[in-house]
Amino acid sequence: MMETGSEPLLEVHELDAFYGPAQALFNVSFKLARGEAVALVGRNGAGKTTTLKAIMGLIERRSRMSRYAGTDIRTSPTHRIARLGLGYVPEERRIFTDLTVAENLEVGRLPARSHRPPWTTTRLYKIFPNLGEMAGRSAGSMSGGEQQMLSIARTLMGNPDAVLLDEPSEGLAPLIVEQMAQAIVAMKNDGIAVLLSEQNLDFAASIVDRALSIETGAITFDGPIADLMQTRRHT
Amino acid sequence: MARAICWSVWSSMSFSFVIAQILNGLASASSLFIVASGLTIVFGVTRIVNFAHGSLYMLGAYFAVTLMTPLLDVSRSFPMFVLGLICAALLTGVLGIALEVLLLRRVYKSPELLQLLITFGLVLVIQDLVIRIWGPLEILGPRAPGLRGAVSIAGVQVPSYDLFLIAMGPLVFGLIWLVLARTRFGILVRAATQDREMVAALGVNQSILFTGALFLGAALAGLGGALQIPRAAASPQMDIAVLTDAFVVTVIGGMGSVPGAALAALIIGQLNAFGIVVFPKSTLVLVFLLMAAVLIVRPYGLLGRAEPLSLRVVTPEGFTAIAPTSAPTWRWCGVLIAALTILPWAVDAYAQKIAIEILIFALAAFALAFLIGNGGLVSFGHAAYFGIGAYAAGLAVKKLGFGMETALLLAPLAGAGAAALFGVFIVRLSGIYLAMLTLAVAQIVYAVAVQWVELTGGDNGIVGVWPARWASSRITYYYLTLVLCSAGIFLLHRVLHAPFGYALRGARDSAVRADAIGLDVVKLRWLAFTLAGAATGLAGGLYAFSKGSIDPTLLAIPQSVDFLAMLLMGGIQHIAGALVGSTALHTLKVIALPLTDMWRMLLGVMIIAIVLLTPQGLVGGGLRLFRRSTRGGASA
Ligand SMILES: Nc1ncnc2c1ncn2[C@@H]1O[C@H](COP(=O)(O)OP(=O)(O)OP(=O)(O)O)[C@@H](O)[C@H]1O
Ligand SMILES: [Mg+2]
């Protein structure tokens, strides 16, 4: 199918999401352009995770329009959305602890679909040297930071054009957070669009230019992250 | 004294005897492992305990006896025999694919109870199909060419085929390991066993994975069945027998764990081989003790892991919501009781007998509804307490010389006692593990009833259990039953709406939360289980006197499934649901049994259809339709 350059890669219009009978998202709308990095910021329980899960079809959701790479994904099953090239790195990392590091990467492998060179284990081990050293080890024996890296690397194996990253810096030591920021910037430089859910504004500002702010399940701000930091400082 | 017995046991175990038993145990461990590994792989990926796994095993055996004869006619050689095994396994695997695509695929998101019921419906259908196709009699398969003799090991004559079986276990384990560790499919299977949702989020189409897992699991079941034919004839009863064995192995090993299944099979194989020395009649008791011990120490089995905390529901929504019984409902109940009081005068003696049975089943089914709806305790072995009540009453009359009144007092006590004893192990578990343990316990009770011939009369059971003279007329016995059963139901219903009932539902909805607010969940569930056991035992006692005889089918799995089917038909959110269900099922059975020799198939198809079409049960579904048409006139 034809894709015009101006069409956003991911576009969500009036997205609602539900946990059983309880509604958790209200009219969430935003766009993400090809290669763009955007932060989704909000307090604990604001609805960041819910937004990402709803886009991936992991929870019950409803929207006026949801498109990824020109395809309607309103009712698509999760695996089909992932196969369109939308990667997801969950908050809890959800590493397969019974599998080795290399096997975790294998689960994430999907055929390349864009002009970019495909991700391979060799290439990933260059970015994440720790993983290369542990390739044959059980993923359950890794530290939190290493698991986070594995989770990102596993998603990259699917050669996504966009990645939903849920609080990758959460609970990690400052040094590791720094590495994480570098890895995400490297992804961005590779042309991958990033939607980064984050509580830490400073961390987000080191990676993205634009931010969405979410409060109790609704978007309250969409603009340059600098502006958002400005208003936060004033209040 | 005890020491003397021990000594005599050990001295009787000569060296060659020990060798023979070890090899014997290894051969049965191999067979157990091959069947159980298939069950555990399917569970790991789909999270469905496939009751039809035993049926696939049976089909594998029948395929093998059918295929082997022409194959061995071509050439009476060992490779031909192996070819026959492989063909039987592959054919069964293909059936597994059909099963996944046609049925299981529709219920992956359904509550566990419905998943279990639908696969059990399939068990019933396949049983009747097998009898249709191959006849009700056992079929002897050919012996394996080249493996007919015996080999002498350390002075013991060991059948060559046993050695072949012993080799097959590790061989199959190795092949499974190769598939799981060295292929992309295997890696995905292991990943999905741990976190299905994440696997989907990485772009894996689960349908293919599930279909593949069913093929592999079914093929293993079929291979297991095919391997048995040189040792045992293929028979239409082999499905349930092997199912219990496979359940025990997977529960002890840990559901979803192939190495766990191997370890458990080895232990049980040896336990069976040497248990014979201690309990010559029934090693099942030992196996049960082992299972109970393992589950207490490791609730998820030797090598299993806790279910990932997900939003798993055991019972369907609406199915469990027990509405507070409103004033109009009570008025209807009054009308119902009045109608039931007049009923015997309006019908003939045969119908009176049916009505008595329906009332009795209604009490037992209501007790089950009480467990499922309030405790979330899905018991697949409810018939155990029914049968124990019946046997207690029968034995009290025939062996102890008590009257009917005492016997009817002992029946609920026995039901409660058994439930209290088994409940200690059962109520600690939840979901699938609980369902499987209840079923395994019931199978053991069944085995004891069949095998302890001196006490229970074995398969023939106990005859001549007649009511006291004052209650010997059918009408009087009807009223006795009506009074006791409705009293039982109303008492249980009262408990539901007492603080105990609310606490129990709290515990069901969130064990964590109920713990946090200071309720002793395990104790609550144990009390509920015991109470339900008492009510069911009373029903069993009443049943014994109504029939005048008792036999082990009262304790068997089909009886347990009947109770579940009654609830499926009647729904459990309404106080009359159990009565509606028992009336519907029992009437249907009474009408259909003389007309068809395919009752099981009919029941199975009915269960499958209800699960797929109206999972709230007929009453629930009907009520919903009614409410929809009256635009919510009555409050829910
Ligand atoms: N499984 C669930 N069931 C019911 N409600 C939930 C569930 N998960 C989240 N919620 C509710 O949805 C709302 C949004 O939660 P969400 O996890 O999206 O927040 P978040 O912004 O990701 O927070 P955090 O920074 O803590 O990760 C919260 O009010 C939360 O209580
Ligand atoms: Mg979150």
Side-chain angles (χ1 to χ4, degrees), chain B residues 31-32 35-36 38-40 48-58 116 119-124 127 221 237-251 255 268 284 287 291 380 435-437 439-441 443 557-558 561:
Chain B
S31 314
L32 276 176
V35 188
L39 186 67
T40 218
I48 291 183
V49 175
N50 182 14
F51 274 29
H53 196 72
S55 313
L56 293 167
Y57 169 92
M58 174 169 71
L116 295 177
T119 61
F120 202 91
L122 209 62
V123 170
L124 298 172
Q127 259 176 5
Q237 288 83 40
M238 63 200 293
D239 53 349
I240 299 290
V242 79
L243 187 66
T244 316
D245 289 347
F247 273 14
V248 170
V249 171
T250 44
V251 166
M255 306 270 312
I268 292 173
L284 264 173
V287 172
M291 183 160 78
F380 258 83
M436 289 173 74
L437 187 59
L439 184 112
V441 166
Q443 274 304 87
I557 291 183
V561 172

Side-chain angles (χ1 to χ4, degrees), chain B residues 461-472:
Chain B
I462 302 169
V463 290
V465 187
W466 297 117
R469 181 159 308 147
W470 64 267
S472 60

Side-chain angles (χ1 to χ4, degrees), chain A residues 19 53 56 58 78-80 82-83 86-90 93-100 103-110 151 154-155 158, chain B residues 109 180-208 256 305 311 317:
Chain A
Y19 290 106
K53 283 192 169 169
M56 289 306 291
L58 289 166
T78 302
H79 74 268
R80 204 157 294 148
R83 289 184 93 89
L86 182 56
Y88 170 60
V89 180
R93 290 147 198 166
R94 295 173 81 163
I95 289 301
F96 304 115
T97 50
D98 290 346
L99 275 57
T100 64
E103 286 171 340
N104 266 275
L105 295 177
E106 172 62 26
V107 177
R109 186 167 61 81
L110 289 175
S151 187
R154 185 177 63 178
T155 300
Chain B
K109 297 222 168 99
L180 290 186
R182 289 282 177 266
T183 67
R184 178 170 164 83
F185 170 75
I187 292 173
L188 294 180
V189 162
R190 280 156 57 219
T193 299
Q194 199 180 340
D195 189 344
R196 283 204 292 199
E197 206 179 60
M198 194 59 225
V199 170
L202 290 168
V204 177
N205 181 357
Q206 304 203 23
S207 305
I208 297 169
R305 61 164 70 242
L311 296 167
E317 225 178 288

Side-chain angles (χ1 to χ4, degrees), chain B residues 274-319:
Chain B
F274 287 98
I276 297 260
V277 182
V278 190
F279 281 107
K281 276 272 172 55
S282 175
T283 53
L284 264 173
V285 176
L286 280 180
V287 172
F288 172 71
L289 289 178
L290 173 71
M291 183 160 78
V294 167
L295 288 178
I296 285 177
V297 184
R298 295 186 61 92
Y300 296 98
L302 292 175
L303 301 183
R305 61 164 70 242
E307 280 264 294
L309 271 181
S310 57
L311 296 167
R312 291 268 286 168
V313 273
V314 177
T315 46
E317 225 178 288
F319 199 76

